[in-house]
Amino acid sequence: MARVVVDVVMKPEILDPQGQAILNALGRLGIEGVSSVRQGKHFELEVADDVEDADLTKIADTLLANPVIEDFTIRR
Amino acid sequence: MARVVVDVVMKPEILDPQGQAILNALGRLGIEGVSSVRQGKHFELEVADDVEDADLTKIADTLLANPVIEDFTIRR
Amino acid sequence: MSRPAVDTVEVAATSPSQSQPFKELGLNAEEYQRIKDILDRRPTSSELAMYSVMWSEHCSYKSSKVHLRQFGDKVPAEAKDILLVGMGENAGVVDVGHGLAVTFKIESHNHPSYVEPYQGAATGVGGIVRDILTMGARPVAVQDALRFGPANAPDTARVLPGVVAGIGGYGNCLGLPNVGGEISFDPSYLGNPLVNALCVGVLPADGIKLAKADGPGSHVVLFGARTGGDGIGGASVLASASFEAKGEKKRPAVQVGDPFAEKVLIECCLEIFAADLVTGIQDLGAAGLSCATTELAAAGTGGMDVDLDLAPLRDETLTPEEILMSESQERMMAVVTPENLEKFLEVCAKWEVTATVIGTVTDTGRLVMRWHGETIVDVPPRTLAHEGPVYERPVRRPYDQDALNGEHGNGLPRPKSGEQLRATALKLISSANLADKSWVTDQYDRYVLGNTVLAQPEDSGMIRLTDRALDGSGEADLGVAVSVDGNGRYTRLDPYAGAQLALAEAYRNVATTGARPLAVTNCLNFGSPEDPAVMWQFAEAVRGLADGCQQLGVPVTGGNVSFYNQTGSTPILPTPVIGVLGVIDDVSRRTPMALRGDGAQLYLLGDTRDEFGGSEWANVVHGFLGGRPPKVDLTREKLLADVLINASRDGLIDAAHDLSDGGLFVAVAEGCLRGEVGVRLVVPEGLDPFVFLFSESAGRAIVAVPRTEEVRFTDMCTARGLPATRIGVLDILESAIEVQGQFRLPLSELRTAWAATLPDLFG
Amino acid sequence: MVTFPGSLDDRDALRAVRLAGAEPVPLWHGEKWLSDVQAVVLPGGFSYGDYLRCGAIARFSPAMDSIVDGARQGMPVLGICNGFQVLCEAHLLPGALIRNRSQKFICRDQAVRIENAGTAWTADYEDGQQLVIPLKNAEGCYVADERTLDELEGSGRVVARYLDGNPNGSLRDIAGICNAEGNVVGLMPHPEHATDPLVGPGTDGLPFFSSVLRALVGAA
Ligand SMILES: Nc1ncnc2c1ncn2[C@@H]1O[C@H](COP(=O)(O)OP(=O)(O)O)[C@@H](O)[C@H]1O
Ligand SMILES: [Mg+2]
């Protein structure tokens, strides 16, 4: 049993309205010094040790992320 | 300029419908060995170096997470 | 994993003196003693958990029961013809003919919505929808009545968007059209917003399902979501008080909703109902399993055996006490005969719904629960479900009531010149309470299911129940109309009249669209019942509502009481929210609010008096609350309704809109903006322009009458004795509201002022 | 007409198909295939709660495999709203649909222009015809890379465009697109809710359903 973390973020060229909204909110909160916010998804999976990295990659780019608009990173 | 990552996850005792739905889908995809999935949010912030950790914490628990149902971790 | 020892009946019998945290669970010493007398031993911690939630104000209605009885005592004669199920069940059921019945109910989720606005509001919708489903009905529409602090208060900017997104997020995902509601702002709601959700469902008149466990040997099936530690903050004291080693484990006070699970649960249940596979069914809401098991048993043969450890859990560390108190959403309990069980489980499997047999119906008169073989609960179910404590709380007219009614505010400076009237009109129409609500309502799906005949901003939502368009029979389609209304300021000035004015407005809104009002549901939002002044407001409001329903001939079919709505010791404005349901035999005859028809005559129905107590004008312009609310005349309301209904059936009017908050000008403005037509208004003889435009006299509506029907229409009004005053003519070329001799306000300017307010506030 | 768990506008679409004079066949997402089906509508809603990403999970239901094959062999497929999202997730259509620029669910009567009346689903319209049909979604913002967008424009595969203001931030105001063959169409607004004036803004949506009917009858 191991915990695997997959982070999914929008490709840089795709606009990210959620991140934008947060950035504006920061302004209203009067917080300085944050120049950009991007929001993505964070997955925590409990996987059996015999699960191959290849399987994890498959999970990430067929299900957890949509490669058309998103990039992902896997941390085992 | 530094990149700060904030991960927000539902408190363990709180229902995570999305994670549950993904787990079931994995089953249908015929992928074995994943026993649990939890979905959270992943934020990437560009912050000036003079921004204090205290500010980041404030951002996280006022804006990025609702401490009533979510926990967060900050990586600078 | 070794299980922590549990507090069994055996242990309880032999350790009578063990101290128990009944106070922390909200029970007082007398109540605790009563439990001991009932069981004739100390309760086990599981039993204590059950009694504490079942005897809570929320579940036992201990402070309100003595007052709510009036709804039954004063039930109008009309009720017997239409009422299939009255108060007391999950929701009342009304016969609407054509073999169809309709069930509807409104419920509050105020406190959770303050803590976690999105999830609080979302689970509020989920809860009321399950109540409707439990009656055997397909939910077909929702409405929401909302109250927030001042629109420009920072915390309102936190709560309102979350609440609206939550109601939309859950309702949209369930595929239920949102067809109306209301939203208004007042400082008294800042620390205690109101989120009341209403749901309407349709079922075959002979397909009603009830919450009772009949027939010994039948299976008790728990199905839907797994049980987790949702909303059981209270139970932690038990966990630590029972012999469990590791004490404090924080449990969340809020529940998280899973609308997808609920959508699947709905379709699954409807398939089960259609195949007639259950003898009784109950949703799991407040008090979860405690409530479902005791109510099913109490209403049925009388006994039930349950193996609590069979309940599917989301969190394996839950103790039995926590399982019994858990308010996890999207769960139902059904009573299924042995021969139907297999079919029942098949349907659940098709929808991928978890279903588990956890018990059996018995005739022992006892509810017995086991935990891994050990008996942890052995109680007479009625003592939890029906025989809880009942209090006759002291009532006292608030000390400031006379002063409040005394300051009539007649001295408040009123606009005189046309210029001043124009400025007042703009100020009112752009105030948060009267401004365009589409920022809110555009976040709700009003089209899904394809039967929405009318939705916000119409006077009431209207849903088509039959669909004969396709079977070629060419017959008219039946529909129901629903409206919810409430006015905290009126109720503060006079709770008896305030409740009746809310009832009258909802009743009027339904009739305005051409539907015949049939039945009433209500959500009574008040402060603490332990405050005699609040209790007086409550008693007066209930008395007013009961009398009003009797006079109007519309029975109360159900509702909900929400007490302890206060910040510190300051209660909210007393806020009874009243929902009225009506029926229309031919939905194509509905009357819309959009003023239409060039040259059509605009008529004002009813009497206009100098009535500004509790008005929007006094509130917005002077921040003043005092005097008396508008006069209530229910005979007149009934007459007005008859005229509006007949006029729609006979096609005498093109449009109608009820007059309420803000008075005539606001109603005319809403009608013109929706119809994109101008109007030339004439101030009637002997009426002061200011009173004409802004008074909030009740029992009034405006109607647009085509020239061809004018005589027939006015004759009908004269014959019935309803005052109908011609106040203007519609003009499609003149895109402005012109009040002759006073002022002219272009629709464009009006629309900007009206539409900009909420977007400017909430983005 | 495919119903996934969480499909919502399936009944409405069935009704629209019937109003157009065709015989709708309800398909359960778990069913593998129905040989006698001639065209498929993927209705709106929140399949699987729209968890993860809209349409991401529905894409893997059994029915989808055969629908993808059918589509590749030229069977007309219309994805409405959530159905559009499923078609993108299944890579039958390029690009993707993300959260509305406003962050909010939007329900409103939307003006759109038909840009390509040549597809199986739009033949009964004129090029450039303007319609008003309900739009209701939270993830309606169409995105794709510039190359894809130019390709869509160049080959006339933008089927419908928003008018009078872009409601959700869709690139190039795109409301609907089709595949190269024109048999697969994805559309954000809901034509099935504009087929009966009593319960919708009008009847502007009906031709989507009559078009495919004529295409099939013509072909037969
Ligand atoms: N929170 C809400 N949800 C749905 N509809 C709403 C909401 N608030 C207001 N509306 C709709 O906006 C319209 C105007 O509301 P309101 O001023 O209460 O009307 P009235 O005073 O005639 O009852 C009504 O159609 C009402 O249903
Ligand atoms: Mg109202």
Side-chain angles (χ1 to χ4, degrees):
Chain A
M1 260 314 158
R3 154 154 314 180
V4 175
V5 172
V6 179
D7 289 321
V8 174
V9 293
M10 291 266 190
K11 287 189 185 330
E13 65 270 21
I14 306 242
L15 80 165
D16 168 17
Q18 288 165 291
Q20 196 50 47
I22 293 166
L23 196 58
N24 304 339
L26 283 174
R28 284 195 299 278
L29 270 174
I31 293 166
E32 311 275 294
V34 180
S35 56
S36 123
V37 179
R38 313 243 336 142
Q39 175 168 349
K41 303 196 188 93
H42 172 85
F43 300 92
E44 295 179 356
L45 291 70
E46 295 295 336
V47 298
D49 303 329
D50 63 354
V51 172
E52 315 267 309
D53 287 0
D55 301 337
L56 292 175
T57 312
K58 178 172 173 223
I59 295 176
D61 79 351
T62 54
L63 189 62
L64 301 184
N66 174 357
V68 176
I69 46 168
E70 297 167 323
D71 299 324
F72 60 86
T73 58
I74 302 179
R75 279 181 283 138
R76 189 156 193 164
Chain B
M1 264 312 155
R3 151 152 321 178
V4 176
V5 171
V6 180
D7 289 323
V8 176
V9 294
M10 289 270 195
K11 289 192 191 316
E13 65 272 18
I14 298 244
L15 172 69
D16 172 16
Q18 309 219 63
Q20 199 48 49
I22 295 166
L23 193 60
N24 302 341
L26 285 174
R28 279 194 299 279
L29 268 168
I31 293 167
E32 312 275 293
V34 181
S35 56
S36 127
V37 179
R38 299 203 42 102
Q39 176 171 345
K41 304 197 198 94
H42 173 85
F43 299 92
E44 296 180 357
L45 291 70
E46 295 295 335
V47 299
D49 304 330
D50 62 355
V51 173
E52 315 265 311
D53 288 359
D55 300 341
L56 292 175
T57 311
K58 179 175 171 212
I59 296 176
D61 76 354
T62 54
L63 210 54
L64 305 183
N66 175 357
V68 178
I69 53 173
E70 295 168 321
D71 298 326
F72 58 86
T73 59
I74 303 179
R75 279 181 283 134
R76 190 155 194 165
Chain C
M1 150 192 153
S2 77
R3 262 177 287 111
V6 291
D7 187 19
T8 64
V9 169
E10 214 177 349
V11 175
T14 55
S15 57
S17 55
Q18 186 197 314
S19 79
Q20 297 186 282
F22 62 87
K23 274 204 181 58
E24 293 82 342
L25 290 169
L27 293 165
N28 62 35
E30 301 70 46
E31 291 167 341
Y32 181 60
Q33 184 52 48
R34 228 191 105 201
I35 299 171
K36 287 180 162 173
D37 298 345
I38 290 169
L39 299 177
D40 149 43
R41 59 171 163 81
R42 77 161 173 88
T44 65
S45 56
S46 295
E47 289 165 338
L48 185 61
M50 294 175 76
Y51 277 100
S52 72
V53 288
M54 291 305 292
W55 285 9
S56 68
E57 186 64 59
H58 182 76
C59 294
S60 71
Y61 287 79
K62 54 188 165 190
S63 305
S64 51
K65 241 187 189 139
V66 293
H67 301 281
L68 298 180
R69 286 203 184 101
Q70 296 172 70
F71 295 141
D73 302 344
K74 300 178 183 173
V75 64
E78 290 81 350
K80 65 173 179 339
D81 314 333
I82 56 153
L83 214 52
L84 299 176
V85 174
M87 283 181 14
E89 279 296 332
N90 284 293
V93 181
V94 178
D95 188 342
V96 293
H98 301 76
L100 290 176
V102 171
T103 175
F104 74 127
K105 187 180 176 199
I106 186 167
E107 207 159 63
S108 68
H109 224 219
N110 304 341
H111 300 111
S113 301
Y114 180 68
V115 182
E116 218 299 313
Y118 184 98
Q119 294 297 345
T123 50
V125 173
I128 189 64
V129 167
R130 278 193 304 281
D131 270 334
I132 294 307
L133 176 63
T134 305
M135 299 309 298
R138 169 177 285 282
V140 292
V142 296
Q143 295 197 341
D144 57 320
L146 310 177
R147 298 290 186 281
F148 300 102
N152 56 7
D155 201 49
T156 302
R158 168 187 74 95
V159 176
L160 183 145
V163 163
V164 170
I167 290 167
Y170 204 100
N172 297 342
C173 187
L174 279 189
L176 292 178
N178 184 308
V179 298
E182 33 162 30
I183 175 166
S184 65
F185 303 85
D186 182 275
S188 74
Y189 304 113
L190 183 55
N192 194 122
L194 302 185
V195 176
N196 293 182
L198 177 149
C199 181
V200 187
V202 185
L203 64 158
D206 58 5
I208 298 171
K209 298 278 175 287
L210 294 179
K212 54 182 172 61
D214 268 338
S218 281
H219 299 287
V220 176
V221 188
L222 179 61
F223 65 115
R226 295 171 161 270
T227 299
D230 310 74
I232 54 175
S236 47
V237 300
L238 274 169
S240 42
S242 67
F243 312 111
E244 189 188 340
K246 56 157 188 46
E248 265 316 293
K249 168 141 184 244
K250 199 83 215 73
R251 297 301 192 187
V254 276
Q255 312 115 23
V256 169
D258 180 352
F260 172 61
E262 178 128 324
K263 167 66 179 172
V264 174
L265 195 56
I266 291 173
E267 298 305 329
C268 177
C269 284
L270 290 170
E271 201 169 319
I272 286 166
F273 296 154
D276 199 10
L277 298 178
V278 299
T279 53
I281 185 156
Q282 174 66 298
D283 64 301
L284 276 71
L289 270 163
S290 301
C291 184
T293 50
T294 52
E295 287 190 351
L296 279 169
T301 310
M304 189 184 287
D305 283 356
V306 173
D307 285 300
L308 196 58
D309 48 283
L310 296 182
L313 301 182
R314 201 171 77 225
D315 169 357
E316 291 302 330
T317 70
L318 289 181
T319 65
E321 298 86 350
E322 291 172 322
I323 296 170
L324 285 165
M325 292 174 111
S326 164
E327 298 190 346
S328 290
Q329 302 291 297
E330 293 94 23
R331 297 180 299 164
M332 303 278 277
M333 181 171 282
V335 179
V336 185
T337 60
E339 54 274 27
N340 282 333
L341 185 64
E342 192 182 343
K343 288 205 219 69
F344 180 97
L345 296 176
E346 272 168 19
V347 177
C348 292
K350 169 189 169 183
W351 290 98
E352 294 172 19
V353 167
T354 314
T356 317
V357 176
I358 66 165
T360 326
V361 179
T362 70
D363 54 12
T364 60
R366 310 283 297 183
L367 170 61
V368 178
M369 293 196 188
R370 280 179 304 272
W371 180 254
H372 299 282
E374 297 183 289
T375 304
I376 55 169
V377 171
D378 184 349
V379 295
R382 286 195 58 82
T383 62
L384 289 106
H386 302 309
E387 290 154 13
V390 173
Y391 296 130
E392 187 92 44
R393 301 266 192 200
V395 303
R396 192 203 65 236
R397 197 158 186 281
Y399 296 127
D400 65 357
Q401 196 68 31
D402 293 332
L404 192 64
N405 295 140
E407 298 168 15
H408 43 62
N410 295 354
L412 297 173
R414 298 179 169 192
K416 298 261 171 304
S417 68
E419 257 324 295
Q420 291 170 335
L421 287 166
R422 189 183 195 276
T424 305
L426 278 173
K427 189 167 173 109
L428 281 179
I429 205 73
S430 60
S431 69
N433 283 354
L434 299 176
D436 179 16
K437 300 296 190 306
S438 17
W439 186 92
V440 169
T441 58
D442 283 0
Q443 296 185 53
Y444 303 151
D445 183 345
R446 60 181 172 276
Y447 286 113
V448 64
L449 293 185
N451 288 315
T452 305
V453 178
L454 294 175
Q456 56 271 14
E458 297 289 336
D459 287 277
S460 58
M462 188 179 289
I463 297 291
R464 175 175 61 189
L465 297 185
T466 57
D467 188 356
R468 304 212 175 87
L470 294 176
D471 65 25
S473 73
E475 279 179 73
D477 277 314
L478 180 72
V480 287
V482 183
S483 173
V484 293
D485 289 287
N487 186 316
R489 293 193 310 274
Y490 290 169
T491 312
R492 176 72 173 88
L493 294 180
D494 181 343
Y496 183 91
Q500 294 196 336
L501 285 162
L503 169 67
E505 185 180 351
Y507 179 94
R508 196 186 317 133
N509 281 333
V510 165
T512 304
T513 57
R516 184 164 36 88
L518 277 190
V520 172
T521 184
N522 67 96
C523 190
L524 305 172
N525 306 275
F526 288 77
S528 165
E530 294 152 46
D531 174 345
V534 168
M535 211 50 213
W536 176 81
Q537 294 174 326
F538 181 80
E540 283 297 290
V542 171
R543 194 170 61 86
L545 182 56
D547 292 347
C549 290
Q550 192 169 31
Q551 284 185 56
L552 288 174
V554 284
V556 174
T557 62
N560 168 252
V561 176
S562 174
F563 279 130
Y564 300 104
N565 293 287
Q566 55 195 38
T567 310
S569 61
T570 317
I572 59 166
L573 291 176
T575 314
V577 172
I578 314 300
V580 169
L581 176 130
V583 63
I584 181 167
D585 300 328
D586 180 356
V587 287
S588 68
R589 286 279 180 207
R590 86 248 177 254
T591 311
M593 69 178 273
L595 294 175
R596 298 178 301 178
D598 195 23
Q601 304 292 319
L602 194 62
Y603 275 84
L604 168 61
L605 308 181
D607 294 307
T608 304
R609 301 178 212 82
D610 186 329
E611 295 181 297
F612 288 91
S615 68
E616 280 296 344
W617 172 75
N619 176 43
V620 171
V621 176
H622 296 287
F624 175 85
L625 178 61
R628 297 212 161 273
K631 169 161 171 289
V632 185
D633 179 348
L634 296 177
T635 321
R636 170 57 64 82
E637 294 286 355
K638 222 171 167 164
L639 174 58
L640 175 65
D642 289 341
V643 166
L644 288 165
I645 295 161
N646 288 313
S648 110
R649 192 198 51 223
D650 303 346
L652 301 181
I653 54 179
D654 288 338
H657 192 23
D658 99 295
L659 268 57
S660 58
D661 322 359
L664 176 115
F665 177 81
V666 170
V668 170
E670 289 171 350
C672 287
L673 289 169
R674 189 142 169 95
E676 285 168 344
V677 57
V679 61
R680 271 175 278 115
L681 291 177
V682 195
V683 183
E685 271 311 306
L687 205 52
D688 166 68
F690 168 73
V691 173
F692 170 63
L693 291 170
F694 304 114
S695 161
E696 294 186 5
S697 296
R700 300 183 303 158
I702 49 170
V703 292
V705 186
R707 277 233 156 74
T708 50
E709 305 299 339
E710 198 170 359
V711 178
R712 282 176 67 203
F713 179 76
T714 48
D715 285 353
M716 172 168 71
C717 294
T718 327
R720 294 166 176 261
L722 177 69
T725 320
R726 193 170 157 287
I727 57 166
V729 54
L730 302 188
D731 183 342
I732 49 171
L733 303 176
E734 174 72 18
S735 63
I737 297 180
E738 184 181 352
V739 186
Q740 263 175 28
Q742 299 300 332
F743 64 86
R744 184 174 181 283
L745 193 46
L747 293 188
S748 53
E749 185 179 354
L750 192 62
R751 189 180 294 280
T752 313
W754 176 68
T757 306
L758 291 198
D760 288 352
L761 282 163
F762 302 108
Chain D
M1 176 67 45
V2 183
T3 297
F4 301 99
S7 292
L8 305 178
D9 304 86
D10 43 348
R11 283 180 203 74
D12 327 28
L14 283 169
R15 189 168 189 276
V17 172
R18 202 173 277 118
L19 281 173
E23 188 40 49
V25 189
L27 296 180
W28 177 241
H29 78 111
E31 301 169 22
K32 268 287 175 204
W33 186 236
L34 278 166
S35 48
D36 57 353
V37 169
Q38 291 168 297
V40 167
V41 178
L42 302 180
F46 291 63
S47 57
Y48 295 94
D50 273 358
Y51 297 148
L52 184 56
R53 282 183 317 281
C54 305
I57 298 181
R59 168 215 170 172
F60 293 106
S61 16
M64 279 310 291
D65 306 344
S66 17
I67 289 168
V68 171
D69 296 345
R72 297 239 158 85
Q73 293 157 31
M75 177 183 65
V77 177
L78 174 64
I80 301 169
C81 192
N82 195 226
F84 186 5
Q85 293 156 342
V86 174
L87 292 175
C88 289
E89 283 286 338
H91 307 305
L92 282 172
L93 292 173
L97 293 140
I98 64 170
R99 197 152 185 74
N100 295 341
R101 185 79 61 88
S102 69
Q103 295 291 298
K104 299 195 290 281
F105 184 98
I106 301 172
C107 175
R108 66 149 92 151
D109 297 345
Q110 178 67 41
V112 300
R113 184 174 58 233
I114 296 294
E115 301 284 27
N116 176 352
T119 78
W121 297 93
T122 53
D124 284 358
Y125 290 105
E126 308 288 315
D127 279 332
Q129 190 172 334
Q130 302 195 354
L131 337 167
V132 173
I133 49 183
L135 176 78
K136 49 189 192 81
N137 57 66
E139 271 91 9
C141 175
Y142 182 77
V143 295
D145 56 46
E146 285 300 311
R147 216 193 69 264
T148 312
L149 291 168
D150 294 336
E151 194 181 311
L152 287 171
E153 300 272 9
S155 50
R157 287 169 56 193
V158 175
V159 174
R161 233 186 273 275
Y162 298 116
L163 296 175
D164 312 340
N166 182 326
N168 49 27
S170 278
L171 298 178
R172 312 214 185 162
D173 300 337
I174 286 175
I177 59 172
C178 65
N179 64 350
E181 297 69 27
N183 62 307
V184 179
V185 170
L187 191 70
M188 242 319 123
H190 288 256
E192 78 277 20
H193 286 294
T195 54
D196 175 351
L198 185 68
V199 292
T203 58
D204 289 358
L206 212 41
F208 275 96
F209 304 94
S210 55
S211 298
V212 72
L213 195 57
R214 283 206 303 119
L216 293 171
V217 174

